[in-house]
PDB file of all heavy atoms in Angstrom:
ATOM      1  N   LEU Z   7      89.535  89.499  78.329  1.00 92.00           N
ATOM      2  CA  LEU Z   7      89.420  88.413  79.236  1.00 92.00           C
ATOM      3  C   LEU Z   7      90.676  87.678  79.299  1.00 92.00           C
ATOM      4  O   LEU Z   7      91.239  87.339  80.326  1.00 92.00           O
ATOM      5  CB  LEU Z   7      88.161  87.528  78.936  1.00 92.00           C
ATOM      6  CG  LEU Z   7      87.987  86.310  79.776  1.00 92.00           C
ATOM      7  CD1 LEU Z   7      87.834  86.674  81.299  1.00 92.00           C
ATOM      8  CD2 LEU Z   7      86.845  85.476  79.318  1.00 92.00           C
ATOM      9  N   VAL Z   8      91.140  87.285  78.044  1.00 88.00           N
ATOM     10  CA  VAL Z   8      92.407  86.520  78.052  1.00 88.00           C
ATOM     11  C   VAL Z   8      93.569  87.268  78.584  1.00 88.00           C
ATOM     12  O   VAL Z   8      94.427  86.702  79.330  1.00 88.00           O
ATOM     13  CB  VAL Z   8      92.659  86.117  76.559  1.00 88.00           C
ATOM     14  CG1 VAL Z   8      94.053  85.427  76.448  1.00 88.00           C
ATOM     15  CG2 VAL Z   8      91.514  85.262  75.991  1.00 88.00           C
ATOM     16  N   SER Z   9      93.578  88.613  78.397  1.00 87.00           N
ATOM     17  CA  SER Z   9      94.696  89.453  79.019  1.00 87.00           C
ATOM     18  C   SER Z   9      94.514  89.402  80.449  1.00 87.00           C
ATOM     19  O   SER Z   9      95.607  89.207  81.189  1.00 87.00           O
ATOM     20  CB  SER Z   9      94.480  90.843  78.545  1.00 87.00           C
ATOM     21  OG  SER Z   9      95.468  91.675  79.149  1.00 87.00           O
ATOM     22  N   ARG Z  10      93.401  89.393  81.082  1.00 90.00           N
ATOM     23  CA  ARG Z  10      93.297  89.478  82.532  1.00 90.00           C
ATOM     24  C   ARG Z  10      93.711  87.996  83.105  1.00 90.00           C
ATOM     25  O   ARG Z  10      94.445  87.880  84.121  1.00 90.00           O
ATOM     26  CB  ARG Z  10      91.858  89.703  83.021  1.00 90.00           C
ATOM     27  CG  ARG Z  10      91.435  91.172  82.723  1.00 90.00           C
ATOM     28  CD  ARG Z  10      90.224  91.602  83.463  1.00 90.00           C
ATOM     29  NE  ARG Z  10      88.988  90.918  82.884  1.00 90.00           N
ATOM     30  CZ  ARG Z  10      88.310  91.367  81.971  1.00 90.00           C
ATOM     31  NH1 ARG Z  10      88.550  92.413  81.416  1.00 90.00           N
ATOM     32  NH2 ARG Z  10      87.189  90.641  81.481  1.00 90.00           N
ATOM     33  N   VAL Z  11      93.279  86.952  82.467  1.00 89.00           N
ATOM     34  CA  VAL Z  11      93.698  85.551  82.802  1.00 89.00           C
ATOM     35  C   VAL Z  11      95.193  85.491  82.716  1.00 89.00           C
ATOM     36  O   VAL Z  11      95.927  85.004  83.699  1.00 89.00           O
ATOM     37  CB  VAL Z  11      93.016  84.540  81.950  1.00 89.00           C
ATOM     38  CG1 VAL Z  11      93.621  83.158  82.212  1.00 89.00           C
ATOM     39  CG2 VAL Z  11      91.505  84.593  82.113  1.00 89.00           C
ATOM     40  N   ALA Z  12      95.876  85.984  81.733  1.00 85.00           N
ATOM     41  CA  ALA Z  12      97.274  85.941  81.588  1.00 85.00           C
ATOM     42  C   ALA Z  12      97.991  86.742  82.765  1.00 85.00           C
ATOM     43  O   ALA Z  12      98.990  86.340  83.259  1.00 85.00           O
ATOM     44  CB  ALA Z  12      97.726  86.483  80.201  1.00 85.00           C
ATOM     45  N   HIS Z  13      97.359  87.852  83.089  1.00 84.00           N
ATOM     46  CA  HIS Z  13      97.956  88.612  84.196  1.00 84.00           C
ATOM     47  C   HIS Z  13      97.861  87.873  85.482  1.00 84.00           C
ATOM     48  O   HIS Z  13      98.847  87.896  86.264  1.00 84.00           O
ATOM     49  CB  HIS Z  13      97.156  89.947  84.262  1.00 84.00           C
ATOM     50  CG  HIS Z  13      97.629  90.875  85.395  1.00 84.00           C
ATOM     51  ND1 HIS Z  13      98.918  91.431  85.421  1.00 84.00           N
ATOM     52  CD2 HIS Z  13      97.003  91.085  86.641  1.00 84.00           C
ATOM     53  CE1 HIS Z  13      99.003  92.106  86.592  1.00 84.00           C
ATOM     54  NE2 HIS Z  13      97.893  91.948  87.342  1.00 84.00           N
ATOM     55  N   GLN Z  14      96.733  87.120  85.682  1.00 87.00           N
ATOM     56  CA  GLN Z  14      96.626  86.467  86.949  1.00 87.00           C
ATOM     57  C   GLN Z  14      97.686  85.246  86.935  1.00 87.00           C
ATOM     58  O   GLN Z  14      98.090  84.886  88.076  1.00 87.00           O
ATOM     59  CB  GLN Z  14      95.135  85.905  87.083  1.00 87.00           C
ATOM     60  CG  GLN Z  14      94.137  86.952  87.380  1.00 87.00           C
ATOM     61  CD  GLN Z  14      94.460  87.688  88.651  1.00 87.00           C
ATOM     62  OE1 GLN Z  14      94.670  87.073  89.641  1.00 87.00           O
ATOM     63  NE2 GLN Z  14      94.276  89.003  88.664  1.00 87.00           N
ATOM     64  N   MET Z  15      97.864  84.640  85.821  1.00 87.00           N
ATOM     65  CA  MET Z  15      98.855  83.626  85.750  1.00 87.00           C
ATOM     66  C   MET Z  15     100.267  84.140  86.095  1.00 87.00           C
ATOM     67  O   MET Z  15     101.008  83.440  86.689  1.00 87.00           O
ATOM     68  CB  MET Z  15      98.855  83.010  84.291  1.00 87.00           C
ATOM     69  CG  MET Z  15      97.580  82.197  84.005  1.00 87.00           C
ATOM     70  SD  MET Z  15      97.362  80.740  85.064  1.00 87.00           S
ATOM     71  CE  MET Z  15      98.676  79.661  84.493  1.00 87.00           C
ATOM     72  N   SER Z  16     100.536  85.368  85.684  1.00 81.00           N
ATOM     73  CA  SER Z  16     101.789  85.867  85.878  1.00 81.00           C
ATOM     74  C   SER Z  16     101.982  86.048  87.486  1.00 81.00           C
ATOM     75  O   SER Z  16     103.047  85.893  88.021  1.00 81.00           O
ATOM     76  CB  SER Z  16     101.975  87.281  85.335  1.00 81.00           C
ATOM     77  OG  SER Z  16     101.217  88.357  85.820  1.00 81.00           O
ATOM     78  N   LEU Z  17     100.962  86.416  88.197  1.00 80.00           N
ATOM     79  CA  LEU Z  17     101.012  86.528  89.675  1.00 80.00           C
ATOM     80  C   LEU Z  17     101.094  85.173  90.273  1.00 80.00           C
ATOM     81  O   LEU Z  17     101.769  85.042  91.311  1.00 80.00           O
ATOM     82  CB  LEU Z  17      99.718  87.320  90.113  1.00 80.00           C
ATOM     83  CG  LEU Z  17      99.522  88.714  89.650  1.00 80.00           C
ATOM     84  CD1 LEU Z  17      98.117  89.269  90.177  1.00 80.00           C
ATOM     85  CD2 LEU Z  17     100.635  89.618  90.007  1.00 80.00           C
ATOM     86  N   HIS Z  18     100.522  84.164  89.656  1.00 74.00           N
ATOM     87  CA  HIS Z  18     100.590  82.795  90.243  1.00 74.00           C
ATOM     88  C   HIS Z  18     101.922  82.269  90.174  1.00 74.00           C
ATOM     89  O   HIS Z  18     102.421  81.538  91.029  1.00 74.00           O
ATOM     90  CB  HIS Z  18      99.640  81.922  89.349  1.00 74.00           C
ATOM     91  CG  HIS Z  18      99.688  80.459  89.758  1.00 74.00           C
ATOM     92  ND1 HIS Z  18      99.189  79.931  90.891  1.00 74.00           N
ATOM     93  CD2 HIS Z  18     100.286  79.465  89.156  1.00 74.00           C
ATOM     94  CE1 HIS Z  18      99.455  78.619  91.040  1.00 74.00           C
ATOM     95  NE2 HIS Z  18     100.075  78.299  89.852  1.00 74.00           N
ATOM     96  N   TYR Z  19     102.783  82.672  89.143  1.00 71.00           N
ATOM     97  CA  TYR Z  19     104.130  82.210  89.031  1.00 71.00           C
ATOM     98  C   TYR Z  19     105.107  83.150  89.578  1.00 71.00           C
ATOM     99  O   TYR Z  19     106.253  83.374  89.048  1.00 71.00           O
ATOM    100  CB  TYR Z  19     104.471  81.962  87.539  1.00 71.00           C
ATOM    101  CG  TYR Z  19     103.875  80.755  86.991  1.00 71.00           C
ATOM    102  CD1 TYR Z  19     102.771  80.747  86.066  1.00 71.00           C
ATOM    103  CD2 TYR Z  19     104.297  79.343  87.320  1.00 71.00           C
ATOM    104  CE1 TYR Z  19     102.231  79.661  85.540  1.00 71.00           C
ATOM    105  CE2 TYR Z  19     103.804  78.317  86.808  1.00 71.00           C
ATOM    106  CZ  TYR Z  19     102.646  78.375  85.927  1.00 71.00           C
ATOM    107  OH  TYR Z  19     102.156  77.237  85.364  1.00 71.00           O
ATOM    108  N   GLY Z  20     104.756  83.836  90.673  1.00 64.00           N
ATOM    109  CA  GLY Z  20     105.607  84.846  91.189  1.00 64.00           C
ATOM    110  C   GLY Z  20     106.948  84.328  91.833  1.00 64.00           C
ATOM    111  O   GLY Z  20     107.843  85.001  91.932  1.00 64.00           O
ATOM    112  N   ASP Z  21     106.899  83.006  91.968  1.00 70.00           N
ATOM    113  CA  ASP Z  21     108.249  82.396  92.450  1.00 70.00           C
ATOM    114  C   ASP Z  21     109.170  82.133  91.296  1.00 70.00           C
ATOM    115  O   ASP Z  21     110.303  81.807  91.481  1.00 70.00           O
ATOM    116  CB  ASP Z  21     108.043  81.171  93.202  1.00 70.00           C
ATOM    117  CG  ASP Z  21     107.221  80.110  92.478  1.00 70.00           C
ATOM    118  OD1 ASP Z  21     106.602  80.509  91.523  1.00 70.00           O
ATOM    119  OD2 ASP Z  21     107.291  78.954  92.799  1.00 70.00           O
ATOM    120  N   SER Z  22     108.669  82.212  90.049  1.00 78.00           N
ATOM    121  CA  SER Z  22     109.522  81.863  88.858  1.00 78.00           C
ATOM    122  C   SER Z  22     109.486  83.147  88.015  1.00 78.00           C
ATOM    123  O   SER Z  22     108.549  83.447  87.246  1.00 78.00           O
ATOM    124  CB  SER Z  22     109.017  80.739  88.076  1.00 78.00           C
ATOM    125  OG  SER Z  22     109.678  80.551  86.820  1.00 78.00           O
ATOM    126  N   LEU Z  23     110.572  83.850  87.946  1.00 82.00           N
ATOM    127  CA  LEU Z  23     110.613  85.221  87.300  1.00 82.00           C
ATOM    128  C   LEU Z  23     110.456  84.931  85.722  1.00 82.00           C
ATOM    129  O   LEU Z  23     109.731  85.791  85.167  1.00 82.00           O
ATOM    130  CB  LEU Z  23     111.901  85.920  87.595  1.00 82.00           C
ATOM    131  CG  LEU Z  23     112.039  87.302  86.991  1.00 82.00           C
ATOM    132  CD1 LEU Z  23     110.963  88.163  87.646  1.00 82.00           C
ATOM    133  CD2 LEU Z  23     113.472  87.902  87.318  1.00 82.00           C
ATOM    134  N   GLU Z  24     110.972  83.840  85.192  1.00 81.00           N
ATOM    135  CA  GLU Z  24     110.993  83.536  83.844  1.00 81.00           C
ATOM    136  C   GLU Z  24     109.502  83.398  83.381  1.00 81.00           C
ATOM    137  O   GLU Z  24     109.042  83.935  82.428  1.00 81.00           O
ATOM    138  CB  GLU Z  24     111.827  82.380  83.451  1.00 81.00           C
ATOM    139  CG  GLU Z  24     111.964  82.177  82.004  1.00 81.00           C
ATOM    140  CD  GLU Z  24     113.021  81.174  81.683  1.00 81.00           C
ATOM    141  OE1 GLU Z  24     113.493  80.352  82.587  1.00 81.00           O
ATOM    142  OE2 GLU Z  24     113.517  81.174  80.562  1.00 81.00           O
ATOM    143  N   LYS Z  25     108.774  82.463  84.192  1.00 82.00           N
ATOM    144  CA  LYS Z  25     107.374  82.220  83.755  1.00 82.00           C
ATOM    145  C   LYS Z  25     106.546  83.503  84.000  1.00 82.00           C
ATOM    146  O   LYS Z  25     105.579  83.848  83.211  1.00 82.00           O
ATOM    147  CB  LYS Z  25     106.909  81.018  84.601  1.00 82.00           C
ATOM    148  CG  LYS Z  25     107.459  79.679  84.198  1.00 82.00           C
ATOM    149  CD  LYS Z  25     106.879  78.620  84.992  1.00 82.00           C
ATOM    150  CE  LYS Z  25     107.512  77.259  84.609  1.00 82.00           C
ATOM    151  NZ  LYS Z  25     106.990  76.131  85.509  1.00 82.00           N
ATOM    152  N   GLN Z  26     106.754  84.175  85.052  1.00 85.00           N
ATOM    153  CA  GLN Z  26     106.053  85.365  85.335  1.00 85.00           C
ATOM    154  C   GLN Z  26     106.230  86.421  84.216  1.00 85.00           C
ATOM    155  O   GLN Z  26     105.124  86.973  83.758  1.00 85.00           O
ATOM    156  CB  GLN Z  26     106.572  86.009  86.645  1.00 85.00           C
ATOM    157  CG  GLN Z  26     105.796  87.275  87.108  1.00 85.00           C
ATOM    158  CD  GLN Z  26     106.459  87.852  88.324  1.00 85.00           C
ATOM    159  OE1 GLN Z  26     107.543  87.592  88.771  1.00 85.00           O
ATOM    160  NE2 GLN Z  26     105.685  88.720  88.992  1.00 85.00           N
ATOM    161  N   MET Z  27     107.402  86.659  83.730  1.00 84.00           N
ATOM    162  CA  MET Z  27     107.577  87.637  82.676  1.00 84.00           C
ATOM    163  C   MET Z  27     106.870  87.090  81.344  1.00 84.00           C
ATOM    164  O   MET Z  27     106.298  88.005  80.542  1.00 84.00           O
ATOM    165  CB  MET Z  27     109.025  87.839  82.349  1.00 84.00           C
ATOM    166  CG  MET Z  27     109.724  88.583  83.503  1.00 84.00           C
ATOM    167  SD  MET Z  27     109.066  90.198  83.747  1.00 84.00           S
ATOM    168  CE  MET Z  27     108.059  89.958  85.241  1.00 84.00           C
ATOM    169  N   LYS Z  28     106.864  85.801  81.081  1.00 85.00           N
ATOM    170  CA  LYS Z  28     106.241  85.340  79.778  1.00 85.00           C
ATOM    171  C   LYS Z  28     104.766  85.586  79.812  1.00 85.00           C
ATOM    172  O   LYS Z  28     104.176  86.072  78.868  1.00 85.00           O
ATOM    173  CB  LYS Z  28     106.534  83.785  79.594  1.00 85.00           C
ATOM    174  CG  LYS Z  28     107.947  83.550  79.203  1.00 85.00           C
ATOM    175  CD  LYS Z  28     108.189  82.073  78.979  1.00 85.00           C
ATOM    176  CE  LYS Z  28     109.588  81.719  78.586  1.00 85.00           C
ATOM    177  NZ  LYS Z  28     109.878  80.362  78.322  1.00 85.00           N
ATOM    178  N   TRP Z  29     104.089  85.281  81.017  1.00 88.00           N
ATOM    179  CA  TRP Z  29     102.648  85.514  81.104  1.00 88.00           C
ATOM    180  C   TRP Z  29     102.334  87.074  81.057  1.00 88.00           C
ATOM    181  O   TRP Z  29     101.423  87.511  80.449  1.00 88.00           O
ATOM    182  CB  TRP Z  29     102.109  84.914  82.398  1.00 88.00           C
ATOM    183  CG  TRP Z  29     101.902  83.396  82.203  1.00 88.00           C
ATOM    184  CD1 TRP Z  29     102.631  82.423  82.872  1.00 88.00           C
ATOM    185  CD2 TRP Z  29     100.879  82.750  81.483  1.00 88.00           C
ATOM    186  NE1 TRP Z  29     102.150  81.158  82.447  1.00 88.00           N
ATOM    187  CE2 TRP Z  29     101.049  81.407  81.625  1.00 88.00           C
ATOM    188  CE3 TRP Z  29      99.836  83.256  80.651  1.00 88.00           C
ATOM    189  CZ2 TRP Z  29     100.231  80.416  81.002  1.00 88.00           C
ATOM    190  CZ3 TRP Z  29      99.061  82.256  80.078  1.00 88.00           C
ATOM    191  CH2 TRP Z  29      99.201  80.949  80.212  1.00 88.00           C
ATOM    192  N   GLN Z  30     103.271  87.814  81.646  1.00 87.00           N
ATOM    193  CA  GLN Z  30     103.114  89.289  81.719  1.00 87.00           C
ATOM    194  C   GLN Z  30     103.199  89.774  80.243  1.00 87.00           C
ATOM    195  O   GLN Z  30     102.355  90.631  79.783  1.00 87.00           O
ATOM    196  CB  GLN Z  30     104.199  89.942  82.541  1.00 87.00           C
ATOM    197  CG  GLN Z  30     103.916  91.391  82.837  1.00 87.00           C
ATOM    198  CD  GLN Z  30     104.998  91.961  83.738  1.00 87.00           C
ATOM    199  OE1 GLN Z  30     105.971  92.604  83.171  1.00 87.00           O
ATOM    200  NE2 GLN Z  30     104.848  91.837  85.004  1.00 87.00           N
ATOM    201  N   GLN Z  31     104.102  89.323  79.489  1.00 88.00           N
ATOM    202  CA  GLN Z  31     104.214  89.855  78.069  1.00 88.00           C
ATOM    203  C   GLN Z  31     102.993  89.359  77.313  1.00 88.00           C
ATOM    204  O   GLN Z  31     102.474  90.165  76.452  1.00 88.00           O
ATOM    205  CB  GLN Z  31     105.424  89.210  77.419  1.00 88.00           C
ATOM    206  CG  GLN Z  31     105.483  89.520  75.909  1.00 88.00           C
ATOM    207  CD  GLN Z  31     106.889  89.849  75.460  1.00 88.00           C
ATOM    208  OE1 GLN Z  31     107.713  90.370  76.208  1.00 88.00           O
ATOM    209  NE2 GLN Z  31     107.197  89.518  74.076  1.00 88.00           N
ATOM    210  N   PHE Z  32     102.472  88.134  77.471  1.00 87.00           N
ATOM    211  CA  PHE Z  32     101.378  87.686  76.788  1.00 87.00           C
ATOM    212  C   PHE Z  32     100.173  88.600  77.122  1.00 87.00           C
ATOM    213  O   PHE Z  32      99.313  89.041  76.235  1.00 87.00           O
ATOM    214  CB  PHE Z  32     101.055  86.272  77.106  1.00 87.00           C
ATOM    215  CG  PHE Z  32      99.891  85.656  76.336  1.00 87.00           C
ATOM    216  CD1 PHE Z  32      99.797  85.779  74.923  1.00 87.00           C
ATOM    217  CD2 PHE Z  32      98.853  85.024  77.050  1.00 87.00           C
ATOM    218  CE1 PHE Z  32      98.776  85.172  74.209  1.00 87.00           C
ATOM    219  CE2 PHE Z  32      97.832  84.515  76.255  1.00 87.00           C
ATOM    220  CZ  PHE Z  32      97.708  84.572  74.923  1.00 87.00           C
ATOM    221  N   SER Z  33     100.034  88.956  78.407  1.00 88.00           N
ATOM    222  CA  SER Z  33      98.897  89.846  78.785  1.00 88.00           C
ATOM    223  C   SER Z  33      98.994  91.192  78.065  1.00 88.00           C
ATOM    224  O   SER Z  33      98.003  91.722  77.622  1.00 88.00           O
ATOM    225  CB  SER Z  33      98.994  90.065  80.329  1.00 88.00           C
ATOM    226  OG  SER Z  33      98.039  90.955  80.702  1.00 88.00           O
ATOM    227  N   LEU Z  34     100.158  91.722  77.941  1.00 90.00           N
ATOM    228  CA  LEU Z  34     100.361  93.010  77.339  1.00 90.00           C
ATOM    229  C   LEU Z  34     100.047  92.817  75.796  1.00 90.00           C
ATOM    230  O   LEU Z  34      99.379  93.826  75.168  1.00 90.00           O
ATOM    231  CB  LEU Z  34     101.845  93.424  77.477  1.00 90.00           C
ATOM    232  CG  LEU Z  34     102.245  93.867  78.895  1.00 90.00           C
ATOM    233  CD1 LEU Z  34     103.757  94.110  79.007  1.00 90.00           C
ATOM    234  CD2 LEU Z  34     101.535  95.090  79.318  1.00 90.00           C
ATOM    235  N   LEU Z  35     100.318  91.824  75.208  1.00 91.00           N
ATOM    236  CA  LEU Z  35     100.043  91.715  73.786  1.00 91.00           C
ATOM    237  C   LEU Z  35      98.593  91.544  73.467  1.00 91.00           C
ATOM    238  O   LEU Z  35      98.091  92.104  72.482  1.00 91.00           O
ATOM    239  CB  LEU Z  35     100.789  90.426  73.222  1.00 91.00           C
ATOM    240  CG  LEU Z  35     102.310  90.424  73.205  1.00 91.00           C
ATOM    241  CD1 LEU Z  35     102.794  89.051  72.660  1.00 91.00           C
ATOM    242  CD2 LEU Z  35     102.992  91.546  72.417  1.00 91.00           C
ATOM    243  N   MET Z  36      97.972  90.886  74.353  1.00 92.00           N
ATOM    244  CA  MET Z  36      96.437  90.703  74.197  1.00 92.00           C
ATOM    245  C   MET Z  36      95.642  92.071  74.397  1.00 92.00           C
ATOM    246  O   MET Z  36      94.634  92.199  73.901  1.00 92.00           O
ATOM    247  CB  MET Z  36      95.918  89.664  75.154  1.00 92.00           C
ATOM    248  CG  MET Z  36      96.355  88.243  74.812  1.00 92.00           C
ATOM    249  SD  MET Z  36      96.025  87.700  73.107  1.00 92.00           S
ATOM    250  CE  MET Z  36      94.199  87.713  73.210  1.00 92.00           C
ATOM    251  N   GLN Z  37      96.318  92.951  75.193  1.00 92.00           N
ATOM    252  CA  GLN Z  37      95.588  94.196  75.452  1.00 92.00           C
ATOM    253  C   GLN Z  37      95.978  95.316  74.579  1.00 92.00           C
ATOM    254  O   GLN Z  37      95.479  96.441  74.692  1.00 92.00           O
ATOM    255  CB  GLN Z  37      95.611  94.587  76.925  1.00 92.00           C
ATOM    256  CG  GLN Z  37      97.067  94.878  77.359  1.00 92.00           C
ATOM    257  CD  GLN Z  37      97.236  95.222  78.859  1.00 92.00           C
ATOM    258  OE1 GLN Z  37      97.061  96.378  79.242  1.00 92.00           O
ATOM    259  NE2 GLN Z  37      97.396  94.232  79.693  1.00 92.00           N
TER     260      GLN Z  37
END
């Protein structure tokens, strides 16, 4: 669940590549 939420956050920050990548990495770590 946390991984999916983190993935959605990465999509939310689509205008900021740095924030997008941080959330994307957190999603990968959780899964």
Side-chain angles (χ1 to χ4, degrees):
L7 174 61
V8 175
S9 176
R10 289 194 295 271
V11 171
H13 177 69
Q14 290 300 316
M15 292 297 291
S16 72
L17 299 177
H18 175 73
Y19 284 108
D21 59 338
S22 171
L23 189 60
E24 190 169 18
K25 291 180 180 179
Q26 184 181 17
M27 289 299 105
K28 286 180 178 179
W29 281 108
Q30 188 179 97
Q31 172 142 330
F32 184 52
S33 175
L34 292 171
L35 296 180
M36 292 302 299
Q37 64 182 270

